[in-house]
Amino acid sequence: MCCPHTGRDHAHRNRLRPGAGYGAVPVCSQTWFSEAAPASPEASSVLFTASFQATFSIGALLGGAVLDRSSPSTLIVTGGATATLTVLAVWAHHARKVKWPAPSLPG
């Protein structure tokens, strides 16, 4: 993984960025679920686990379907397009400054 135009090895950066992003997803998701239901941490934990597993399953199913019907290059482009659209959707949501409703505590 040497960059011939700079003469330096940037392999550590190429491995660190995806790993940091992948490692941050569960932490951020768990935090969001816990904040959405502060009165029931067990329920938010179950919801987190189920949603994370469903995301992996759907991604594997769709990725396998794309790969079966095309080539690895198409799969990489499709994955990149999906990631780009996801980032744009999150950015648009953030730009609108949508506020979540206040959680209702059982009482």
Side-chain angles (χ1 to χ4, degrees), residues 33-98:
F33 283 118
S34 296
E35 286 178 357
S40 53
E42 295 85 7
S44 67
S45 180
V46 169
L47 185 60
F48 163 73
T49 303
S51 68
F52 208 66
Q53 293 300 322
T55 303
F56 277 133
S57 300
I58 292 168
L61 179 67
L62 294 177
V66 169
L67 185 60
D68 285 346
R69 290 168 180 76
S70 63
S71 66
S73 304
T74 303
L75 181 65
I76 290 172
V77 170
T78 304
T82 302
T84 301
L85 290 173
T86 302
V87 167
L88 289 173
V90 169
W91 177 80
H93 179 79
H94 181 71
R96 288 180 46 207
K97 298 188 188 304
V98 175

